[in-house]
Amino acid sequence: MSRFDIRCQPLTAQAFAPFGDVLECAGEPDKLINAGLCGRFHDRAQMDFGDGRAGISLFQAQPRSLPYTLDLMERHPDGSQAFIPMSQHSFLVTVALDEGGTPGTPLAFLTTPGQAINLHRGTWHGVLTPLHAPGLFAVVDRIGVGANLEEFSLATPFIVTS
């Protein structure tokens, strides 16, 4: 039995601010480059790698569907983590504030095609949850000494609905 349903909300910079950054080409670009043929949306994320370095990995995750059972959350205490989809599909983002070393009540966000996220260091989040194949993402996160992953299994899962 689930605690309760969590309804997805649209991913906006304001709603997501306590958890991280929304990466998207919104509004006018900060600069035009490449002879005016490319708009640069400059410095859109607060990347934090502590004493490590930035690494770019590729993830290929199995697509999920809604309703989705949220039963596992994780966080990265030593660095931020960005998920950048390599297709024009939306994906599910679940996050929670920390409550004494465990995740609080989760929130669910549904991205629009072209949006990516950067999770701040220590933010509890669900696993990578594409809703469409191929589920291919570029992930920018900390590479360094020590374990940068804490997992928390939810004793009673939440059900995420659209």
Side-chain angles (χ1 to χ4, degrees), residues 4-151:
F4 57 85
D5 289 351
I6 302 170
R7 295 191 67 76
C8 290
Q9 57 184 296
L11 181 67
T12 65
Q14 182 177 5
F16 197 69
F19 310 103
D21 310 298
V22 175
L23 311 175
E24 62 185 330
C25 294
E28 294 296 316
D30 299 301
K31 301 176 189 180
L32 290 178
I33 59 173
N34 300 339
L37 299 175
C38 179
R40 179 175 176 148
F41 295 80
H42 186 70
D43 196 20
R44 296 296 168 118
Q46 298 297 314
M47 305 302 294
D48 176 0
F49 304 114
D51 61 355
R53 64 175 177 81
I56 299 175
S57 304
L58 300 180
F59 288 20
Q60 192 162 26
Q62 295 295 316
R64 313 294 178 91
S65 60
L66 296 174
Y68 171 73
T69 301
L70 176 64
D71 57 2
L72 177 67
M73 298 196 83
E74 62 182 46
R75 69 178 173 177
H76 308 281
D78 295 330
S80 57
Q81 185 177 49
F83 292 110
I84 306 164
M86 296 177 68
S87 66
Q88 285 291 316
H89 296 292
S90 60
F91 63 103
L92 177 65
V93 179
T94 51
V95 290
L97 295 174
D98 183 69
E99 290 185 358
T102 63
T105 302
L107 295 175
F109 295 93
L110 190 59
T111 68
T112 59
Q115 286 184 315
I117 61 161
N118 176 57
L119 297 160
H120 292 314
R121 177 197 291 218
T123 296
W124 287 107
H125 62 91
V127 300
L128 182 57
T129 314
L131 299 174
H132 304 277
L136 185 61
F137 288 74
V139 177
V140 181
D141 60 0
R142 180 187 175 276
I143 306 297
V145 177
N148 187 28
L149 173 65
E150 293 178 26
E151 292 183 331

